[in-house]
Every structure is written in C-alpha cells, then in structure tokens.
Amino acid sequence: MNKDIATPIKTRQILEKYGFSFKKSLGQNFLIDTNILRNIVHHAQVTEESGAIEIGPGIGALTEQLAKLCKKVVAFEIDQRLLPILADTLSDYDNVKVIHEDILKADVAGVIEEEFAGKVRDLHVVANLPYYVTTPIIMKLLEEKLPLSGITVMLQKEVADRMAAKPGSKEYGSLSIAVQYYTEASVAMIVPKTVFVPQPNVDSAVIHLAIREKPAVDVIDESFFFMVTRASFAQRRKTILNNLSSQLPEGKSKKEIILKSLEESGIEPGRRGETLSLEEFAVLSNHLLPHFR
Ligand code: SAM
C-alpha cells in the first residue's frame, strides 16, 4: 500500500480501515495533497545521498515522498496507534525506520550516530510539525547543535513569519534572533488550510532553515546573549534601557552599568529592542557580561 498516501480518498480509506480518530492534543492534521508534499521535499534540497529525519509521520504521507528520494528516513512518532498503520502504508520501503518516541525526549544525537553516521552525505529534518510544540522542537534541534544541513518544516504561518523576521518589523523578536543565530531562515511557501484533514484553525507555512557552519555572530556566553535578547523584548513598547533595567538580575549600580554598556556598544538607550540587529545584540551582551557573571 505505497502509492501516494496523500490523496483525500486514499487517506480516508486508510483511516477507515484502522478506525483511526484524530487526537487534537497531538496536533494531528494530516496532509492530503501530494503536490504540497513534493514541494516540501523540493525545498528541503534532499538527494539520493541524503538522510532525512521526520517528526510525526502520521500515516506516512510525507515519509513516503522522502523514502522515494532519500537514502534513508528515520521518523519519530509519539502516537502508538499509528505504528501498525505505518508498518502497512510504508511496507514497500526498506529505507524507513519508525521510532516510537516523543521527539522532545528522544536522544536525537544518539540516533543520528547510530543510523546515519558515515552512511549519508548530508542530513535534513523534514516534517509537518505538530503545531502545539513547533517552537520547542525547533529550538531543541538547534540548541543540541546536531549535524544537520537544513530543517524544512510546516508550521503555523505566524510562527514562521516570526522566525524569519528582520529588525524593524513587528514580527521581529527573541525567537527571530534565536533561530537566525543558528540558521538562515526563509519562508518557502504559504499553505492553505484545505490541504489538511482535519483543517487546522490557523494558516500554515513551510519554513526552510539552512544551518550555518558557525553562529551568525560572535558571543562570549550564548545563554547570557539569549537572556539579554529575551529581556530586551519583555515589553515591546519599552526602550532597551528600561527593559534591561527591569529584567536583568539585580546588582549594584545596575542602571549605570547598562547605560555604560549601551554607550560602549554604540546603541542609543532610547531605542527599542525590535530595532537592534543580531550583531548589535551580540556586541551589547559581550559588554554587559562581565558585570553579570
Ligand atoms: N506527517 C503527517 C502528515 O503530514 O500528514 C502528520 C503530521 S501531523 C501535523 C503531526 C504528527 O506528529 C502526528 O502524527 C502526531 O501524532 C505526531 N506528534 C505529535 N507530537 C509529537 C511528539 N512530541 N513527538 C513525535 N511525534 C509527535
């Protein structure tokens, strides 16, 4: 049972055969449009020498398209009810392995070492993500510094816009900085609700994150850098000086130290966080660091 799972008729047949009912709490919105799936795989830039990691294969619609193109696919699925279905729908592919695990708890680095090391030329994460955990999943993949070339995933359009946002836009914030620190982010396509069953409540988009060989900017202490960026956006209407003064840990002459660091970094204290580039945040956090260590 392996030819294009992602048609409305085929999907309905599979769901009926197994009496499968969707769990909203697991973000189960399955794709029923083969063209969209082929487009996702196209944007992922995989080849027959590539490995792919999928998160949430569902009934195997995207897994199938990846298996046709890539050397090997490993898919993490949390819902045990889907395992017998996947064993059936993907039975013709011997290059797919399904792991029954919550991706947020999985030892992804260990799985990569075991399944892909020395066997593929490059490794990509490709997925139609469960929307209730998109940001934690992407941040886990980035923070663990896995040996990935790219991450190409479907997620809420609003979150994709924030991840790819540039300084000065209303979507730009600490999530844009966290993602762009590790990757070059671009929104690859906007996807209508009608290609899912059941249809999600929000608009969707596919984001492509090309992993940088080294982070976009030089920071002395990554966790302090991210703390400074989060603090700078605590209240969007406040100035950088006021946000940092209220958010950074208490200490002697805190406001004076922040003012001095802003001056050393060439940043006007009256600016708002949303106007600062990654480079400016890096310089600022490096100047602040010795005072808050
Ligand atoms: N890939 C399929 C498709 O495109 O039709 C299904 C995508 S559906 C949006 C999300 C999938 O992720 C579901 O199969 C769901 O059970 C699974 N899932 C949800 N939370 C998960 C988690 N924490 N770890 C692994 N899989 C998860």
Side-chain angles (χ1 to χ4, degrees), residues 6 20 23 25-32 37 40 54-63 76-79 81-82 99 101-105 127-133 137 154 196-197:
F20 183 83
K23 270 196 189 157
S25 61
L26 291 180
Q28 292 178 336
N29 302 96
F30 294 173
L31 277 165
I32 49 165
L37 289 164
I40 297 174
E54 188 189 357
I55 296 153
I59 58 171
L62 176 58
T63 328
F76 291 89
E77 175 55 62
I78 199 171
D79 188 348
R81 299 173 307 152
L82 289 165
I99 298 178
E101 212 170 358
D102 178 345
I103 186 68
L104 292 177
K105 297 189 181 141
N128 169 20
L129 291 176
Y131 289 2
Y132 74 106
V133 275
I137 291 174
M154 177 96 73
F196 299 89
V197 58

Coordinates of all heavy atoms in Angstrom, one line a residue, residues 6 20 23 25-32 37 40 54-63 76-79 81-82 99 101-105 127-133 137 154 196-197, ligand 1:
A6 N -1.1 10.5 0.2 CA -1.7 11.9 0.5 C -2.7 12.3 -0.6 O -2.6 13.3 -1.2 CB -0.6 12.9 0.6
F20 N -9.2 4.9 12.7 CA -8.3 5.9 13.4 C -9.1 7.2 13.6 O -9.8 7.7 12.7 CB -7.1 6.2 12.5 CG -6.2 7.2 13.2 CD1 -5.2 6.7 14.1 CD2 -6.2 8.5 12.9 CE1 -4.3 7.6 14.7 CE2 -5.3 9.4 13.5 CZ -4.4 8.9 14.4
K23 N -6.4 12.9 17.2 CA -6.2 13.5 18.5 C -5.7 14.9 18.4 O -4.6 15.1 18.0 CB -5.1 12.7 19.3 CG -5.7 11.6 20.1 CD -4.7 11.1 21.2 CE -5.3 9.8 21.8 NZ -4.2 9.0 22.4
S25 N -5.0 16.9 20.6 CA -4.0 17.3 21.6 C -2.6 16.9 21.1 O -1.6 17.4 21.6 CB -4.2 16.5 22.9 OG -4.2 15.1 22.7
L26 N -2.5 16.0 20.0 CA -1.2 15.7 19.4 C -1.0 16.4 18.1 O -0.1 16.1 17.4 CB -1.2 14.2 19.2 CG -1.1 13.3 20.5 CD1 -1.0 11.8 20.1 CD2 0.1 13.7 21.3
G27 N -1.8 17.4 17.9 CA -1.6 18.3 16.7 C -1.7 17.4 15.4 O -1.0 17.6 14.4
Q28 N -2.7 16.5 15.4 CA -2.8 15.6 14.2 C -3.7 16.3 13.1 O -4.9 16.2 13.1 CB -3.4 14.3 14.6 CG -2.4 13.5 15.5 CD -2.8 12.2 16.0 OE1 -4.0 12.0 16.2 NE2 -1.9 11.3 16.4
N29 N -3.0 16.9 12.1 CA -3.6 17.5 10.9 C -2.8 16.9 9.8 O -1.7 17.3 9.5 CB -3.5 19.0 10.9 CG -4.2 19.6 12.1 OD1 -3.5 19.9 13.1 ND2 -5.5 19.8 12.1
F30 N -3.4 15.9 9.1 CA -2.7 15.2 8.1 C -2.8 15.8 6.7 O -3.8 16.4 6.4 CB -3.2 13.7 8.0 CG -2.9 12.9 9.2 CD1 -3.4 11.6 9.3 CD2 -2.1 13.4 10.3 CE1 -3.2 10.8 10.5 CE2 -1.9 12.6 11.4 CZ -2.4 11.3 11.5
L31 N -1.7 15.8 5.9 CA -1.7 16.4 4.6 C -2.3 15.4 3.6 O -2.1 14.2 3.6 CB -0.3 16.7 4.2 CG 0.3 18.0 4.7 CD1 1.8 18.0 4.6 CD2 -0.3 19.2 4.0
I32 N -3.2 16.0 2.7 CA -3.9 15.2 1.7 C -3.6 15.7 0.3 O -4.5 15.6 -0.6 CB -5.4 15.1 2.0 CG1 -6.0 16.5 2.2 CG2 -5.7 14.2 3.2 CD1 -7.5 16.5 2.2
L37 N 3.3 18.1 -0.7 CA 4.4 17.2 -0.1 C 5.6 17.2 -1.0 O 6.8 17.4 -0.5 CB 3.9 15.8 0.1 CG 2.8 15.6 1.2 CD1 2.1 14.3 1.1 CD2 3.5 15.7 2.5
I40 N 7.4 20.4 -0.5 CA 8.2 20.5 0.8 C 9.5 19.8 0.6 O 10.6 20.3 0.9 CB 7.4 19.8 2.0 CG1 6.1 20.5 2.2 CG2 8.3 19.7 3.2 CD1 5.2 19.8 3.3
E54 N 12.3 12.6 10.1 CA 10.9 13.2 10.1 C 10.4 13.2 11.5 O 10.6 12.2 12.3 CB 10.0 12.4 9.2 CG 8.6 13.1 9.0 CD 7.6 12.3 8.3 OE1 7.9 11.2 7.8 OE2 6.4 12.8 8.2
I55 N 9.6 14.2 11.9 CA 9.0 14.3 13.2 C 7.5 14.2 13.0 O 6.9 15.0 12.3 CB 9.4 15.6 13.9 CG1 10.9 15.6 14.2 CG2 8.6 15.7 15.2 CD1 11.5 16.9 14.3
G56 N 6.9 13.1 13.5 CA 5.4 12.9 13.3 C 5.0 12.5 12.0 O 4.5 13.3 11.2
P57 N 5.3 11.2 11.6 CA 4.9 10.8 10.2 C 3.4 10.6 10.0 O 3.0 10.5 8.8 CB 5.7 9.4 10.1 CG 5.9 9.0 11.6 CD 6.0 10.2 12.4
G58 N 2.6 10.5 11.1 CA 1.2 10.4 10.9 C 0.9 9.0 10.2 O 1.3 8.0 10.7
I59 N 0.3 9.0 9.0 CA 0.0 7.7 8.3 C 1.1 7.6 7.2 O 0.9 6.7 6.4 CB -1.4 7.6 7.8 CG1 -1.7 8.8 6.8 CG2 -2.4 7.5 8.9 CD1 -3.1 8.6 6.1
G60 N 2.1 8.4 7.2 CA 3.2 8.2 6.3 C 3.2 9.0 5.0 O 4.0 8.7 4.1
A61 N 2.3 10.0 4.9 CA 2.2 10.8 3.6 C 3.5 11.4 3.2 O 3.9 11.3 2.0 CB 1.1 11.8 3.8
L62 N 4.2 12.1 4.1 CA 5.5 12.8 3.8 C 6.6 11.8 3.8 O 7.5 11.8 3.0 CB 5.7 13.9 4.8 CG 7.0 14.7 4.7 CD1 7.2 15.3 3.3 CD2 7.1 15.8 5.8
T63 N 6.5 10.8 4.7 CA 7.6 9.8 4.9 C 7.7 9.1 3.5 O 8.9 8.8 3.1 CB 7.1 8.7 5.9 OG1 6.3 9.3 6.9 CG2 8.3 8.0 6.5
F76 N 10.2 9.9 13.9 CA 9.8 9.8 15.3 C 8.3 10.0 15.4 O 7.8 11.1 15.0 CB 10.5 10.9 16.2 CG 12.0 10.6 16.3 CD1 12.9 11.2 15.4 CD2 12.5 9.9 17.4 CE1 14.2 11.0 15.5 CE2 13.9 9.8 17.5 CZ 14.7 10.3 16.6
E77 N 7.6 9.0 16.0 CA 6.1 9.2 16.1 C 5.7 8.9 17.6 O 6.0 7.8 18.1 CB 5.4 8.3 15.1 CG 3.9 8.3 15.3 CD 3.2 9.7 15.2 OE1 3.3 10.3 14.1 OE2 2.6 10.1 16.2
I78 N 5.0 9.8 18.2 CA 4.6 9.7 19.6 C 3.4 8.8 19.8 O 3.2 8.1 20.8 CB 4.3 11.1 20.2 CG1 4.4 11.0 21.7 CG2 3.0 11.6 19.7 CD1 4.3 12.4 22.4
D79 N 2.5 8.7 18.8 CA 1.2 8.0 18.9 C 1.3 6.5 18.5 O 1.4 6.2 17.3 CB 0.2 8.7 18.0 CG -1.3 8.2 18.3 OD1 -1.4 7.2 18.9 OD2 -2.2 8.9 17.8
R81 N -0.8 4.3 18.2 CA -1.9 3.8 17.3 C -1.5 3.9 15.9 O -2.0 3.2 15.0 CB -3.2 4.6 17.5 CG -3.8 4.5 18.9 CD -4.9 5.5 19.0 NE -4.5 6.8 18.6 CZ -5.4 7.7 18.1 NH1 -6.6 7.5 17.9 NH2 -4.9 8.9 17.7
L82 N -0.5 4.7 15.6 CA 0.0 4.9 14.2 C 1.0 3.9 13.7 O 1.2 3.7 12.5 CB 0.5 6.3 14.0 CG -0.6 7.4 14.0 CD1 0.1 8.8 14.2 CD2 -1.4 7.4 12.8
I99 N 10.5 5.3 14.8 CA 10.9 5.2 16.2 C 9.7 5.7 17.0 O 9.2 6.8 16.8 CB 12.2 6.0 16.6 CG1 13.3 5.4 15.8 CG2 12.4 5.9 18.1 CD1 14.7 6.1 16.0
E101 N 8.6 7.4 19.8 CA 9.1 8.2 20.9 C 8.7 9.7 20.7 O 8.5 10.2 19.6 CB 10.7 8.2 20.8 CG 11.3 8.3 22.2 CD 12.7 8.0 22.3 OE1 13.4 7.6 21.2 OE2 13.3 8.1 23.4
D102 N 8.6 10.4 21.8 CA 8.3 11.8 21.9 C 9.6 12.5 21.4 O 10.7 12.3 22.1 CB 8.0 12.2 23.3 CG 7.7 13.7 23.5 OD1 8.1 14.5 22.6 OD2 7.2 14.1 24.5
I103 N 9.6 13.3 20.4 CA 10.8 13.9 19.9 C 11.5 14.8 20.9 O 12.7 14.9 21.0 CB 10.6 14.7 18.6 CG1 11.9 15.2 17.9 CG2 9.6 15.9 18.8 CD1 12.7 14.2 17.4
L104 N 10.7 15.3 21.8 CA 11.3 16.2 22.8 C 12.1 15.4 23.9 O 12.9 16.0 24.6 CB 10.2 17.1 23.5 CG 9.5 18.1 22.6 CD1 8.4 18.8 23.3 CD2 10.5 19.1 22.0
K105 N 11.8 14.1 24.0 CA 12.5 13.3 25.0 C 13.6 12.5 24.3 O 14.4 11.8 25.0 CB 11.6 12.4 25.7 CG 10.5 13.2 26.5 CD 9.7 12.3 27.4 CE 8.7 13.1 28.2 NZ 7.4 12.4 28.3
A127 N 9.5 17.9 8.0 CA 8.3 17.5 8.8 C 7.2 18.4 8.6 O 7.3 19.6 8.2 CB 8.7 17.4 10.3
N128 N 6.0 17.9 8.8 CA 4.8 18.7 9.0 C 4.6 18.6 10.5 O 4.0 17.6 11.0 CB 3.6 18.1 8.2 CG 2.3 18.7 8.6 OD1 2.2 19.8 9.1 ND2 1.2 17.9 8.2
L129 N 5.0 19.6 11.2 CA 5.1 19.6 12.7 C 3.8 19.6 13.4 O 2.8 20.2 12.9 CB 6.0 20.7 13.2 CG 7.5 20.7 12.9 CD1 8.1 22.0 13.4 CD2 8.1 19.4 13.4
P130 N 3.7 18.9 14.6 CA 2.5 19.1 15.4 C 2.6 20.6 16.0 O 3.5 20.9 16.6 CB 2.7 18.1 16.5 CG 4.2 17.7 16.5 CD 4.7 18.0 15.2
Y131 N 1.5 21.3 15.7 CA 1.6 22.8 16.0 C 1.6 23.2 17.5 O 2.1 24.3 17.8 CB 0.4 23.5 15.3 CG 0.5 23.6 13.8 CD1 1.5 23.0 13.1 CD2 -0.5 24.2 13.0 CE1 1.6 23.0 11.7 CE2 -0.4 24.3 11.7 CZ 0.7 23.6 11.0 OH 0.7 23.7 9.6
Y132 N 1.3 22.2 18.4 CA 1.3 22.6 19.8 C 2.7 22.7 20.3 O 2.9 23.2 21.4 CB 0.4 21.6 20.6 CG 1.0 20.3 20.8 CD1 1.6 19.9 22.1 CD2 1.1 19.3 19.8 CE1 2.2 18.6 22.2 CE2 1.6 18.1 20.0 CZ 2.2 17.7 21.2 OH 2.7 16.5 21.3
V133 N 3.7 22.1 19.6 CA 5.1 22.1 20.1 C 6.1 22.6 19.0 O 7.3 22.1 19.1 CB 5.5 20.8 20.6 CG1 5.1 20.6 22.1 CG2 5.1 19.6 19.8
I137 N 10.3 22.1 19.6 CA 11.0 21.1 18.7 C 12.2 21.8 18.0 O 13.3 21.3 17.9 CB 10.0 20.5 17.7 CG1 9.0 19.6 18.5 CG2 10.8 19.7 16.7 CD1 7.9 19.0 17.6
M154 N 6.7 22.4 8.0 CA 5.4 23.1 8.0 C 5.1 23.5 9.4 O 5.3 22.7 10.4 CB 4.4 22.1 7.5 CG 3.0 22.7 7.5 SD 2.6 23.4 5.9 CE 2.3 21.9 5.0
F196 N -5.3 20.0 4.5 CA -5.2 19.1 5.7 C -6.5 18.5 6.0 O -7.5 19.0 5.7 CB -4.8 20.0 6.9 CG -3.5 20.7 6.8 CD1 -3.4 22.0 6.2 CD2 -2.3 20.2 7.3 CE1 -2.3 22.7 6.2 CE2 -1.1 20.9 7.2 CZ -1.1 22.2 6.7
V197 N -6.4 17.3 6.7 CA -7.6 16.8 7.3 C -7.2 16.4 8.7 O -6.2 15.7 8.9 CB -8.2 15.6 6.5 CG1 -7.1 14.5 6.3 CG2 -9.4 15.0 7.1
Ligands
SAM1 N1 3.4 13.9 8.7 C1 2.0 13.6 8.7 C2 1.3 14.4 7.6 O1 2.0 15.4 7.1 O2 0.2 14.1 7.2 C3 1.4 14.0 10.0 C4 1.6 15.4 10.5 S1 0.7 15.9 11.9 C5 0.6 17.6 11.7 C6 1.8 15.8 13.3 C7 2.2 14.3 13.7 O3 3.2 14.5 14.8 C8 1.2 13.4 14.2 O4 1.3 12.1 13.6 C9 1.4 13.3 15.7 O5 0.9 12.1 16.3 C10 2.9 13.5 15.8 N2 3.4 14.0 17.1 C11 2.8 14.9 17.9 N3 3.6 15.2 19.0 C12 4.7 14.5 18.8 C13 5.9 14.4 19.5 N4 6.1 15.2 20.7 N5 6.9 13.6 19.1 C14 6.8 12.9 17.9 N6 5.6 13.0 17.2 C15 4.6 13.8 17.6

